[in-house]
Every structure is written in C-alpha cells, then in structure tokens.
Amino acid sequence: MDWLTWTPLWWLCLLVPWAYSFATNLVDAPAWKQWLTFGLRVAGFVCLLLALCRPYARLDHSDVHVVFLLDVSQSIELNAAIEATQTIEALVGELGGNDSWSVSSVAAGMREFSSAEELRTLLLQWQTAGADDRYRQESRLAAALLQARQGFPSAKVKRVVLFSDGQETNDSLAAAWRQLGEENVQLFFNPISALLKNEVSVESLTPSSPRAYLGEVVRMNVGVRSNHPGRGKLRMVHRGVVVQEQEIEYQADRLNRYWFDVDMVTSGASPWTVELVTTDDHFPLNNSRTCTLTVRGQPRILMLHQDELQLRPIVRALQEQDFSVEIRGKLGVPDSISELLAFDAVVLADLPATVLTQRQMELLKQYVVDFGGGLAMLGSENSFGLGGYHRTPVEDVLPLVSRYEKEREKPSLAMVLVIDKSGSMEGLPIALAREASKSAVELLSPRDQIAVVGFDSEPLIVSEMRFAAERDLIMGSIDTLAAGGGTSMYPAMLVGRDMLEGTPAKIRHMICLSDGHTTNEDHDSLTQAMVDSGITVSTVALGDADRALLARIAEIGRGRYYETNDPNAVPQIFASETIQASRSAIKEDLFGTVQTGFHPALAGFEQADLPFVLGYVLTQAKPTAQVLLVSDAGDPLLAVGRFGLGTGMAWSSDWSERWGGEWLAWGDCGKFWGQALRSLIRPKNSDGLTVATQVVGDQWRLAIQKRDLNGLPESKVAWEMAVIDNDGDIQLGQVQEIGLGRYQASIPVADRVSTSVRLRDPAADQVQIVHYHRPWPAEYRLSNERPAFLRDAVALVPSQMRENLIPQPSRVSVAHYFYLMAILLVLLSNLLRRL
C-alpha cells in the first residue's frame, strides 16, 4: 500500500492538548474505562487522518487494448493492404474476452472503421471503381500514432500495430515512435508490400549555383529514381520552351544522376523545369521538378502594347543601351507575382484597363509596393483615366492621373446612361453598374449634364437630366437603381433620346449597358435617327448579352463597342468612355519640352535641347510626385514617384511615331530613356546577404546570413519579411536570430503551390527575394529503404498476440476502509461510555 500525501498527519499535533484535557478531566468513572474510551477515539482520529492521506493499493492488469493502423497511401499496393486486413482479423481472434481493439486506415489522415471487414470492403471498391487519390497522396504515419495514443482506455496494456511500408511523408515518424515508447506503449511494425507497378520519378533538380550571371553556363543536376530498369527522355524547359533534351537509361532502386549545361539567356528570376517523358510509368505526377535561379545581367523590361510593331524603334534603341526588352500583347499580362519578378520594370505602353483583370492590376501594385519593381505608363488613348485606369490599383502607383476638369474652350457634354436592371443583373453586376455610373459623374465638368435611365420590361428614369454640379443629388438617385424584371432596351433608348434632344449641349452621347437579350424592336432605325440628330451611341455587352445587336448599335451610332464577361471591368469601361466622349483628355499639336526639376533620370541632359512632342494625354501630378518635364503649355509630360519599395513613372506622350516621332529621331533617344528606366529600377544591393532554403515536412525553412561591409557577422537586424502566394495574398513573417549574424525563418507551405518571400533589411535598404515551387507530393517518392528503428521493430503474429504483455499497473483507492474504521471506532467509544 502506498500513500499520495502525508500532509494531513500534521493534525496529530492536536493530540497533545487533547491528552492534557483527558488527564485533567473530573469525570467520575473507572480509570480503565476512561483510558479505553480515550484510546478508541484517538484511534478513530488517526484512521480519519490516514484516510485523508489518500492511501491506494497497486494492482497489475493483463487486459490489452490494440490499435491497428493500416497504411493505405499511394505507395502501398492495394492487394497487400487487403491481405493485411485478413491478418488483422486473425490477430483480433486471439484476443481475450476483456480485451479491446480498434482499426483505422492511415493516409492524409486517420479514418476509423468498425471492423477490418469494413475496411477491406472499401479497399476492394478502390480496386474496381477508383481510389480516393486526394486522401492517398500522403502518409501521415506520425500524426496517426500520436492520435491513436489518445484513445487508450485506462488499466489496459497499450499496443499499436502499424501495417505500412514505412515511408513517412513529413519526416516526424521517428519522434512519434520514440514518444509512444516512452509512454509504455508496445509498438509493432508489420511491413507490407510497396507499390509493385512500374514507377519512375524525378527526385531532384539542383543548379550548381542559386545565382548566375547573364551568359553564364549553369549545370542543372537531375536525380531520377525508378523501381524498374527502363528508358526515357529528359527535357529541360525554360518559360515553356524546350531548350535541351537527352535520351536516358535508368536503373532500378537507385538514384540515377544526369545533368544539363544550360545558358542563362534572360536576367532576373529565371524558372527552369525538367520533365521526364516515358511510357512505362504509373504516376505521371512525379515526372517533373522546377527551380528558380536569380540571374544578374541586363536590366529586363516588359512592355505591354496592343500593336507590338509600333514599339520596334524604341526597343532597338534600348537594346543598344544594354537592355533586355520583351514585348507582349494583351494576352501576355503576367498572372502571378513570380512571373512579374522575372522583370526589373513593366511598361504599360498602350493597353486599356479593360483587358486586365482586377487581380492582374493588384499584382502590378504589389510588384511595385512590396517588391520594389518599377512601373511606367505611356500616354495613349488606352492609358490613364482615358484607358479606364481611374481608381484602379495601377493608378495608385502612378505619379500622374488624368485631368478630369475640362478646359473652357471645349464644348459642353450631355450624356445619358441606359442601364439594364433586369433580374439577371441582381447582385454584383447591378452594384458595379451603380459604381460605374458614379465614376462617370465624377469625370464630368460642372457644366456638363448627365441622366440615368434604367430598364427592365419598362423604362425607369433613375436621375433626370441634371448638370454635373448637382453631383450629390445625382449620386443619391443612382443608389436607388435596383435589379428585377425582364429586358426591353428600346423604350429606354427612346426616353434617353428625348432627354438628349432637349439639351443645348454641343456633344450628346448615350451609353447602353445590357447583360441579356432584349425584345425585338427596330433598334437600327432608332440609332440612325439619333445619329442624324447629332447623338452618338456606345454600347457595353456584359456576360450573355446580345453582342451582335449591341455591336451593330455602336457601329451605327458612331460610338464604341465593349464586351466583357467580368462585371468588375464595367467601372473602367464607363470611365474610359466618359473621358473619350468629352473629347477633352488629349492634346495634339507641336509642343515644346521644358525641364522643371533635377532627377538622376535627367543627369547629363540638363542643358540638352529636348525634342518636341506631337501630342499627349492631359494629366495632373499627385502631391507626392516629382514632375521632371512639362510641355510649353504647362502640362506634365514626365513624372516619377516613390510608392512603397518601388517607383512609378509616367510619360504622358508615347514612344511611337504618332506622338513621339521627334523623340525617336533624336540621336540621344536610347540614352535618355535608358537612363530614365535605370532610375526606375531598384538597385540590386544584396552584398553580404545570403539566403539558403530547404523544405522540411510542411515547412519551407530559410537560413539567413548577414555580414557588414567589413565582412563581419551583423546581429540585431530588424528584418521585414513578407510572404506572397501565387494569388497575391500577403502575410507578414517572423525572422529569428539564432547566432552571430545568423537568422532563420519558417513558412508553412502545405497548401501552397508557389510562394515568394521578400526579405528586407530596412537599415541597409537591402532586399532579397526567394521563390518556392511545390514539388509533387512526397508520397510519390520512390524509396524502399525503411528507417533503422522500423527495421529493428518486431512484427506481431496471431500466435504471439498475448505473449510478452507488460502488465499495466493501476491504483485502487483504499481510503474508504480507513473512513469505515474511523466511524466504527468512534461508535464503539460512545457505546463504551454508556455502559
């Protein structure tokens, strides 16, 4: 018998005054009787104190609870798993009446079954109807072991039997195995056959150096593993183009090594992918690997223009200044931050906002603000507010914005917005239509007029024809626009025509927006009649609209036709259309160029006789912008501004023959714009900063070393770390100092396809960017080598099911016996006193 505590025995000190009281009492009774009564009470008191000490007895139990864990991941042959369920049934048959058990499958998680037969039924279904590949793409054996320990009942021997090939995907099985052993859990490992089908995988792609220089030859080391000998073809792919390939022969059950010597032909973040092509392979998912190198060399510029031929003269001039320039059309806008980071600067030369998605514009802003990229916009009918960039993320990182106030000599404008408010516009489309209408109002001068007409089955005047100076009243009316009903645009166009014909404005314009098919009416004749009376008509087709009808109305109406499937593009379309209709956003004539301030971009050109421009977009500078060049009319031409870590530049003229012919003919054109673009690019200052990366389980670990200008380790750096996933979402990370000049960070990457990390030392203004590409799941890795602790583990067979049991001790309280003894002794003393 053992005791949990002896503290209550301090109450024995009360026996001293109690004994004194007994010795001096005046009770008239025989002495033997008094002493016996006193002794019984003292004994009862002692028994009570001993009960409070919580005494217990130790008992050993041989009842057992067994947890069966069956690995059913992709690396396991299903036939072998089915045979394992039969082994489990045989083991269960050897258990005693007081024993208990549970059976669970293990892959990406742990699933419990009522019997081995139920699990076998599922495996047979997987064989015939297809398996749950998402569940089977991981082997979380360690997590299953730790979860199993929580289900053991008390007072029973604890046993775990693991049926697996021993291939863990998160590298923590050894720690879990050790922890259960320390908790007196008996562990058994019953090996089962790994995948028997022919399988080959690309295990690794490792460059000889994580950084290279333009023109350098880098060796790409490739590791291939297979469970059978065979032949295949390795391809090295760079930006979707196969640059090299080689025929290979690979051996079974070993790491086969190959290499490619590749030229670094583009600077910046350079992604490389190796692909294995073979016909004798079970899982094609593990046949490729990707890595990203940082290539130093020529500044790399991405130019976006609808007509790439117009940029050829400026591209040749910049190439002579040692720039690498890539021109893309509207389909070439990058869709990920990693693709943007391959360039030092992006130039929006002639691309409207309507061809960019909201996500692409947000990525451009992040590229500048969070990664220090450079963004430039050139003047055209598709730039600034004229191109629909009003109130967009792109405009947030530009130093110039469109000038919205019209000049006095420009004619006044009257505009009617005819907006579909049928039931199909419910939700986001009608909300964005309201936002677009408000944007149009904001872009008008006070003496312009605007009206809003909604339509479903009938027309509804949302806002009468009013001067834009009554902005608040118009905005409030627009907020009442709600969706519901059918679609009939013709009557609404009639109402809008009557409004426009009743105004004295010199320019009269109508914008029609619809997302459906209107009733059959003579829209062509109505549109022609409006044109004859001096009214122009533009149309916007949203989603499943009657695009042929709307395009025809715009053509007859001498306006512009827009179509989009994205409701988010509607505000940009309305903003662009409003500015174009006002005929006040562009100046075309011969204008001189005047310098207004000094900037590194102008170094060496302070006294230069800069060329004329033949036209430009009217803009105004943001308060934080630095205007470098203006026209002789005083309008901004060239401006720069700092936005976060990067720089935005705006040139309100262009680089084509239309407005920039004089500049293109200038002998120093390439030198001037090369210098301007270099001032836009963030200096690559990362001397003394090195970052090594490694994937461990579900964590991407960064090992950082920092040295000062003297090469000495630098401590207490206040790192700023931002983690950006492929969708552009940003999370802040933490960097820990682990030694002199040594730091580390860890990023969870279990659910990430690709990730970029921007690491910045604000004191030294140093930035380093590293990239992560998720490889195929580790479950598809070919390896038959089991960890040493599993090779030494014992398998459990039915005949040994109840052998070598380690009795499980338990504590049984005996305090109630002492309580009972105390009560009996007190009762006996009271009975003796009454005799």
Side-chain angles (χ1 to χ4, degrees), residues 239-524:
R239 304 190 186 281
V241 178
V242 177
V243 295
Q244 288 187 36
E245 61 183 23
Q246 58 177 285
E247 300 286 341
I248 63 170
E249 292 187 13
Y250 45 83
Q251 303 301 316
D253 301 326
R254 53 167 289 189
L255 185 63
N256 300 270
R257 301 182 183 277
Y258 312 94
W259 66 85
F260 291 91
D261 290 333
V262 294
D263 294 323
M264 297 296 105
V265 295
T266 57
S267 57
S270 183
W272 293 85
T273 299
V274 64
E275 297 176 348
L276 173 63
V277 180
T278 180
T279 57
D280 195 10
D281 186 35
H282 184 62
F283 295 123
L285 182 66
N286 57 5
N287 288 4
S288 66
R289 283 276 186 171
T290 299
C291 69
T292 298
L293 284 76
T294 300
V295 181
R296 298 178 180 178
Q298 292 177 318
R300 195 155 182 251
I301 309 297
L302 172 63
M303 292 189 184
L304 299 169
H305 197 289
Q306 295 195 108
D307 185 0
E308 302 176 17
L309 295 178
Q310 295 189 33
L311 291 180
R312 285 189 175 180
I314 189 65
V315 168
R316 285 195 296 268
L318 291 174
Q319 288 173 342
E320 292 175 359
Q321 297 298 315
D322 206 26
F323 279 85
S324 173
V325 182
E326 182 174 335
I327 308 175
R328 297 184 186 178
K330 63 181 181 180
L331 299 179
V333 182
D335 284 319
S336 66
I337 196 68
S338 58
E339 189 178 357
L340 279 170
L341 290 173
F343 300 95
D344 295 294
V346 177
V347 179
L348 293 170
D350 183 16
L351 209 64
T354 52
V355 302
L356 276 70
T357 64
Q358 183 71 17
R359 178 171 174 269
Q360 286 172 328
M361 288 193 282
E362 289 172 353
L363 286 175
L364 284 169
K365 180 178 178 179
Q366 286 182 352
Y367 170 69
V368 176
V369 174
D370 297 314
F371 288 94
L375 178 66
M377 178 173 283
L378 310 184
S380 73
E381 293 179 348
N382 294 310
S383 62
F384 303 104
L386 190 61
Y389 289 98
H390 176 55
R391 290 191 171 181
T392 65
V394 170
E395 188 183 65
D396 292 341
V397 289
L398 292 176
L400 299 180
V401 295
S402 285
R403 183 185 303 172
Y404 306 131
E405 291 291 339
K406 299 197 317 172
E407 297 178 342
R408 300 191 177 195
E409 67 270 15
K410 295 293 183 182
S412 60
L413 167 69
M415 185 163 61
V416 174
L417 307 179
V418 179
I419 298 176
D420 187 346
K421 70 178 197 70
S422 60
S424 59
M425 291 285 288
E426 184 69 42
L428 180 62
I430 196 66
L432 290 169
R434 289 194 293 265
E435 180 186 334
S437 302
K438 292 179 180 179
S439 297
V441 175
E442 291 178 345
L443 294 171
L444 297 176
S445 69
R447 63 194 184 95
D448 290 333
Q449 294 175 278
I450 188 170
V452 182
V453 179
F455 68 89
D456 42 39
S457 300
E458 299 290 336
L460 172 67
I461 299 177
V462 178
S463 178
E464 295 281 358
M465 185 68 73
R466 292 187 175 93
F467 285 101
E470 302 178 75
R471 181 170 300 175
D472 293 340
L473 183 59
I474 299 171
M475 297 283 196
S477 300
I478 291 172
D479 285 331
T480 65
L481 186 63
T487 306
S488 181
M489 187 170 67
Y490 186 86
M493 292 180 67
L494 283 174
V495 172
R497 181 199 64 180
D498 294 342
M499 288 181 169
L500 290 171
E501 288 182 344
T503 66
K506 299 293 181 63
I507 302 173
R508 293 176 292 179
H509 188 62
M510 179 184 293
I511 304 176
C512 299
L513 166 71
S514 178
D515 75 336
H517 289 255
T518 183
T519 56
N520 290 326
E521 302 284 352
D522 192 0
H523 295 86
D524 294 359

Side-chain angles (χ1 to χ4, degrees), residues 77-187:
E77 190 69 37
L78 283 178
N79 285 329
I82 292 171
E83 292 176 4
T85 61
Q86 298 172 346
T87 303
I88 292 173
E89 287 180 334
L91 290 169
V92 171
E94 298 295 323
L95 293 175
N98 293 326
D99 297 332
S100 56
W101 57 277
S102 67
V103 58
S104 299
S105 67
V106 180
M110 181 176 169
R111 296 178 180 176
E112 188 169 349
F113 294 83
S114 60
S115 65
E117 182 180 0
E118 182 186 7
L119 175 54
R120 182 167 59 250
T121 301
L122 176 64
L123 296 176
L124 290 171
Q125 290 177 356
W126 284 359
Q127 273 192 327
T128 57
D132 184 354
D133 289 342
R134 185 172 182 85
Y135 175 61
R136 298 187 67 204
Q137 71 178 7
E138 292 184 74
S139 298
R140 294 186 172 271
L141 303 178
L145 286 175
L146 297 176
Q147 184 176 344
R149 59 197 274 270
Q150 300 175 3
F152 285 116
S154 60
K156 285 192 175 183
V157 178
K158 305 171 186 177
R159 282 187 166 182
V160 172
V161 185
L162 175 63
F163 294 82
S164 175
D165 61 351
Q167 300 304 312
E168 166 69 50
T169 58
N170 59 4
D171 299 327
S172 57
L173 178 59
W177 192 272
R178 183 171 54 254
Q179 181 175 344
L180 264 67
E182 293 171 352
E183 295 175 0
N184 295 321
V185 179
Q186 290 182 283
L187 298 166

Side-chain angles (χ1 to χ4, degrees), residues 204-209 218-223 274 289 291 293:
S204 62
L205 173 62
T206 308
S208 57
S209 172
V218 175
R219 173 157 292 188
M220 296 288 189
N221 299 292
V222 183
V274 64
R289 283 276 186 171
C291 69
L293 284 76

Side-chain angles (χ1 to χ4, degrees), residues 648-668:
M649 184 176 76
W651 169 245
S652 60
S653 187
D654 73 353
W655 285 347
S656 70
E657 292 290 347
R658 179 184 178 185
W659 292 341
E662 297 291 324
W663 280 80
L664 294 174
W666 182 38
D668 286 332

Side-chain angles (χ1 to χ4, degrees), residues 193-216:
S193 298
L195 188 69
L196 298 178
K197 297 181 177 66
N198 288 345
E199 174 58 23
V200 59
S201 67
V202 179
E203 291 281 307
S204 62
L205 173 62
T206 308
S208 57
S209 172
R211 292 178 182 82
Y213 289 91
L214 191 66
E216 182 180 353

